[in-house]
Amino acid sequence: MTWSAVTGASYYRVYRATTSAGTKTALGSWQTSCTYKDSGATAGTTYYYFVQAAVNSSGTRPSDYSAYD
């Protein structure tokens, strides 16, 4: 998946849930890339992906979750 960079943010973290309102599980750590490949997904399972943006690799001042993709 890919997303657009957020002004003022340098790091992003991808989350996954099995329902649009379900519990979000972080996939990996904070990253600078605006792309992510979920190599741990199970075929036949529907997933909802969300992204948060932050100012540093510690996740300082995280944004709200994005709309799901």
Side-chain angles (χ1 to χ4, degrees):
M1 63 183 288
T2 61
W3 57 90
S4 298
V6 174
T7 301
S10 299
Y11 288 82
Y12 304 92
R13 195 170 199 179
V14 178
Y15 296 80
R16 177 175 75 189
T18 53
T19 65
S20 61
T23 301
K24 297 167 183 66
T25 301
L27 303 176
S29 57
W30 291 95
Q31 62 179 43
T32 57
S33 176
C34 290
T35 64
Y36 186 82
K37 181 179 179 181
D38 186 1
S39 58
T42 301
T45 301
T46 299
Y47 295 108
Y48 296 82
Y49 293 91
F50 304 84
V51 178
Q52 273 190 311
V55 298
N56 61 31
S57 61
S58 297
T60 301
R61 294 191 350 237
S63 67
D64 290 335
Y65 293 104
S66 67
Y68 63 84
D69 186 18

